[in-house]
Amino acid sequence: MSIRTFIFCDICNPQALRSVEFRRSPRENERNGRRLSDGRAWFDGELSQAVYNGWSIDNEGQHICPTCQKINHE
């Protein structure tokens, strides 16, 4: 048995919902693909890996996905 860590975006996924069917996208930054996505972001891995893959942590300790970072900077 192994322990898995999931990071959830506190902006677009504050309820920490994870469904494998939601994140099947053929290209980066697309929210639909083989299966539809509702856009809720989550990351399967340690926090350091999430940060390496473009996630950030704000001053309040909230985890923010790359998509929400782009939206907030526009």
Side-chain angles (χ1 to χ4, degrees):
M1 179 185 277
S2 63
I3 297 174
R4 294 175 69 180
T5 302
F6 297 97
I7 309 297
F8 299 94
C9 181
D10 290 316
I11 294 175
C12 66
N13 192 4
Q15 294 177 326
L17 300 175
R18 184 184 78 86
S19 176
V20 175
E21 302 299 318
F22 289 155
R23 301 307 293 170
R24 304 269 174 113
S25 173
R27 296 183 192 115
E28 187 176 330
N29 297 326
E30 286 190 13
R31 291 190 180 245
N32 54 22
R34 207 173 91 209
R35 295 187 175 101
L36 294 178
S37 171
D38 67 352
R40 293 182 178 137
W42 55 274
F43 182 84
D44 182 0
E46 298 293 329
L47 182 57
S48 59
Q49 294 172 322
V51 170
Y52 180 79
N53 284 286
W55 285 62
S56 68
I57 305 168
D58 69 7
N59 293 337
E60 297 173 4
Q62 292 185 323
H63 303 112
I64 304 170
C65 71
T67 303
C68 288
Q69 290 177 53
K70 288 179 187 176
I71 291 169
N72 288 336
H73 284 102
E74 291 180 352

